[in-house]
Amino acid sequence: MPATDTPVTATSVTQTLHARRSVRAFADRRVDPALLKTIFAAAQRAPSGGNLQPWQATLVTGEPWQAVKDAVAARTAMGREGYEPEYDIYPKGLTEPWEARRFGVGEALYASLGIPREDKRGRLAQFMDNYRGFGAPVMLFLHCSRIMGPPQWSDMGMWLQSVMLLLVEHGLASCPQECWAMYGATIRRTLGLDDGQILFTGLAIGYADEDAAVNQWAVPRAPIEDVIDWQGF
Ligand SMILES: Cc1cc2nc3c(=O)[nH]c(=O)nc-3n(C[C@H](O)[C@H](O)[C@H](O)COP(=O)(O)O)c2cc1C
């Protein structure tokens, strides 16, 4: 049972999986650190190869969070010159079916806000809201030792999904944000992380602004026939 009296709003794994969405507008409401502790304690149950538990996270709110936003804003103001990418967010030359999925989610996002393709400034402004964490009061930066490889990055993903589902279970919302990896060195410096750490992603955390248009749509998924090859059934 949770250590706080915050109501548990989703109770089965299936319900929670369906309820989780990337939320891109947050309410101006404080998050209880005791509740976050409960969530992170449970997320430690995430599996990892060899039980390495390679995930490391830095959680910010208030002044440290503002310091990250300010430092990254100074870099984004430099345009492309300001980039310090930690890794290629997408493979170069992304082909189908992945490119269509990526394009589709972007178009659906802008459509929800009524921003047409010609409105480049409007689209950029919406994208830049990423670097304000969409107004989230808490930001989690997920990183790991640079010595880790693909298996351990997959472990980080399992931990991340565990955290996101637990947040939903406790009435909270989140948005994973790998866009922060474009400014990895700035974030490391601001958070006091050593260069031996590599930043995977941010995770904006807070209560959803339930009325915001950007939170009103669900991203479709490919049918299971496209991803599972059943053999011997
Ligand atoms: C590791 C990771 C990084 C992501 N980075 C971003 C991001 O930088 N900005 C953003 O708006 N959404 C980001 N997303 C959200 C995805 O677009 C979203 O998960 C996907 O479209 C499916 O939608 P859903 O999460 O609402 O189900 C990220 C998701 C993951 C798992």
Side-chain angles (χ1 to χ4, degrees):
M1 286 298 289
T4 73
D5 54 7
T6 301
V8 170
T9 56
T11 49
S12 76
V13 175
T14 305
Q15 256 186 336
T16 315
L17 270 163
H18 283 286
R20 189 210 58 80
R21 279 182 196 175
S22 295
V23 157
R24 296 185 179 86
F26 290 87
D28 182 15
R29 182 174 164 195
R30 183 181 169 271
V31 178
D32 181 359
L35 182 54
L36 291 176
K37 275 189 190 163
T38 304
I39 287 167
F40 293 126
Q44 280 301 101
R45 299 306 306 168
S48 53
N51 199 28
L52 257 60
Q53 304 161 66
W55 48 82
Q56 289 176 251
T58 303
L59 201 64
V60 290
T61 192
E63 277 180 32
W65 175 206
Q66 191 58 49
V68 175
K69 285 184 276 192
D70 291 346
V72 170
R75 299 296 299 191
T76 61
M78 295 163 65
R80 288 178 180 274
E81 302 279 291
Y83 290 160
E84 311 154 300
E86 292 284 65
Y87 55 87
D88 287 336
I89 290 183
Y90 300 109
K92 289 192 172 74
L94 196 62
T95 51
E96 299 302 340
W98 307 289
E99 180 54 27
R101 293 176 189 161
R102 176 184 153 177
F103 181 77
V105 71
E107 288 304 304
L109 168 68
Y110 295 123
S112 76
L113 295 164
I115 309 175
R117 195 158 331 153
E118 316 76 74
D119 185 1
K120 299 259 183 286
R121 289 171 79 104
R123 288 190 168 203
L124 182 64
Q126 168 57 31
F127 176 76
M128 293 309 282
D129 204 29
N130 265 291
Y131 296 115
R132 288 178 285 276
F134 303 117
V138 174
M139 178 60 63
L140 179 152
F141 289 104
L142 176 55
H143 44 92
C144 72
S145 167
R146 258 176 221 283
I147 68 168
M148 301 298 174
Q152 291 78 39
W153 278 62
S154 133
D155 296 338
M156 278 201 283
M158 284 186 264
W159 182 82
L160 185 67
Q161 169 75 327
S162 302
V163 170
M164 292 192 289
L165 295 180
L166 286 157
L167 288 165
V168 169
E169 184 187 5
H170 291 276
L172 282 149
S174 65
C175 186
Q177 292 186 281
E178 56 205 353
C179 62
W180 293 100
M182 291 302 291
Y183 301 98
T186 297
I187 294 169
R188 260 198 309 281
R189 273 193 305 277
T190 313
L191 298 177
L193 292 174
D194 68 70
D195 290 347
Q197 291 285 304
I198 183 163
L199 176 69
F200 167 30
T201 187
L203 182 72
I205 296 175
Y207 291 92
D209 175 350
E210 302 290 355
D211 299 327
V214 74
N215 290 337
Q216 304 306 320
W217 53 285
V219 180
R221 296 296 195 270
I224 61 170
E225 292 72 29
D226 288 10
V227 295
I228 298 170
D229 176 17
W230 305 77
Q231 298 196 5
F233 283 88

